[in-house]
Amino acid sequence: MKVAAIIAEYNPFHNGHKYQIDKIREILGSDTVVIAIMSGNYTQRGEPAIADKTIRAEAAVMCGVNLVLELPFPFSMSSAEFFAKSGVCIANATGVVDYLVFGSESGDIRELSDIASIMASSEYQLTLESLTNDAEYKEYGYPELCEIALTKLYGKEIRRSHLSPNNILAIEYIKALHVSGSNISPMTIRREGAGYNDIINPMAEFQSATAIREELISVGSSALDYVPENAKKVYLKAIENGKMPSDSTRLDSAVIASLRLNSPSAWVDIHDAKGGLYNRLCDLSAEATGISSLTYLTETKKYTKARIKRAIWNTYFGVTSSDVKELPHYTQVLAMDEIGRSVLKRIKKMSDFPVITKPSSYRDYGFEVISQKELSNKADAVYGLTLKNANSGRFPLTFTPFVKK
């Protein structure tokens, strides 16, 4: 029996995710165990998830995932490099994972591995550092600098498609496996259907998570026609109970007020807010009325929307660079079926990495776990206020992982 891990957001779980899980079992065997290392309540692009992590985890298990472990905040809301390193850290720590499976537009594991090897090299790091410090490229964003550095070293032109969002994540997963000396084998499955920014196409089987989220917010539950039936049932119940979709505008006043109270400083170390971005946010908060307007005012060629949004939330929660560079010291069980329960027992026998099953039990661990978990708990308590029927601030400590019987 093989164990395959997927690092995912499932924001929300849709037909493309179900296709990936089915394909894994088609390739590796029908008895393959699938573990999802799923983002908590905040996502890589700097936005609160469309539904609470417990709801998204339940939907995943109802659609074929055996065990859902959390990639906690702030690691879930990081750039591709830190997001991948954090997820791989947890996959390695379980001691049971044979394959790390990820989607990509490329579908070519050899090509992705070649690029990852370059990105893991000291030569690439020196080239990237040189470009970053070159006045000629001072207005270039980080993704563009990566593209230029890779083109210089790859020996052939790096096409824009090589650096599509899913390909970048795929490359970062492979790089993280290599750098960590992992025994886990990387495996990619070509993505089918819509791209990240595509709008809903009623004739297509596979829609992007972005399109489904936007449709869900603007139109309503009809957007759930593009998710598997078992996931749809979970989400419809959540909508009925006022627990989905989340709406970050409910926090606009609080976030902007916090920034207006902050003072520009050369000494503040906020993750993803270096290079003057922190001071820019503090200054422009005087003109902004919400997170969306602040993002619009702040955006430049150098600062992408995703980075700005991450910087806003990191400033609000006080997340420093060291908070993320340490990597996760724990994970938390969000949902499982009976197979997942047996794998969880195996993980606990094989690994001393903290896998929290009862949310409040984190206090039984050391300082590093406690400090990370308490930061995540605070962020989750605030997330509860984005819901129509707000969760209690104590919900992060009192929920029970979902178990499919």
Side-chain angles (χ1 to χ4, degrees), residues 128-236:
L128 187 59
E129 184 177 341
S130 174
L131 291 170
T132 303
N133 296 325
D134 190 330
E136 182 182 349
Y137 299 101
K138 67 178 181 179
E139 296 301 322
Y140 282 64
Y142 183 74
E144 292 171 300
L145 294 177
C146 289
E147 183 178 348
I148 295 168
L150 280 170
T151 298
K152 286 177 179 287
L153 299 176
Y154 190 43
K156 58 183 178 180
E157 184 181 0
I158 293 290
R159 301 188 306 275
R160 176 63 65 177
S161 61
H162 280 120
L163 299 180
S164 60
N166 287 289
N167 276 358
I168 284 184
L169 266 177
I171 291 164
E172 290 294 350
Y173 291 141
I174 297 169
K175 189 175 83 171
L177 288 171
H178 172 75
V179 170
S180 67
S182 177
N183 292 320
I184 298 172
S185 299
M187 172 180 163
T188 190
I189 294 174
R190 187 188 298 274
R191 279 176 53 86
E192 299 289 338
Y196 178 82
N197 289 314
D198 290 353
I199 61 173
I200 289 287
N201 175 2
M203 303 302 293
E205 179 183 1
F206 301 110
Q207 309 291 342
S208 73
T210 304
I212 295 172
R213 288 196 302 273
E214 290 176 354
E215 187 96 348
L216 190 59
I217 292 167
S218 61
V219 178
S221 58
S222 61
L224 298 178
D225 291 343
Y226 306 107
V227 308
E229 189 61 31
N230 285 345
K232 183 176 181 178
K233 291 176 183 176
V234 175
Y235 295 143
L236 285 174

Side-chain angles (χ1 to χ4, degrees), residues 257-322:
S258 173
L259 282 164
R260 289 183 182 181
L261 290 171
N262 286 0
S263 301
S265 169
W267 305 105
V268 174
D269 176 25
I270 297 296
H271 182 58
D272 260 334
K274 292 184 178 179
L277 179 53
Y278 169 80
N279 289 346
R280 185 172 173 82
L281 290 172
C282 290
D283 178 52
L284 292 174
S285 66
E287 302 174 36
T289 56
I291 298 167
S292 180
S293 63
L294 180 57
T295 303
Y296 174 78
L297 290 168
T298 308
E299 186 179 9
T300 65
K301 187 176 182 180
K302 182 178 180 179
Y303 301 131
T304 63
K305 287 181 180 177
R307 182 179 171 186
I308 292 166
K309 289 177 182 177
R310 291 196 298 264
I312 290 171
W313 288 111
N314 285 334
T315 302
Y316 185 66
F317 291 119
V319 179
T320 66
S321 298
S322 60

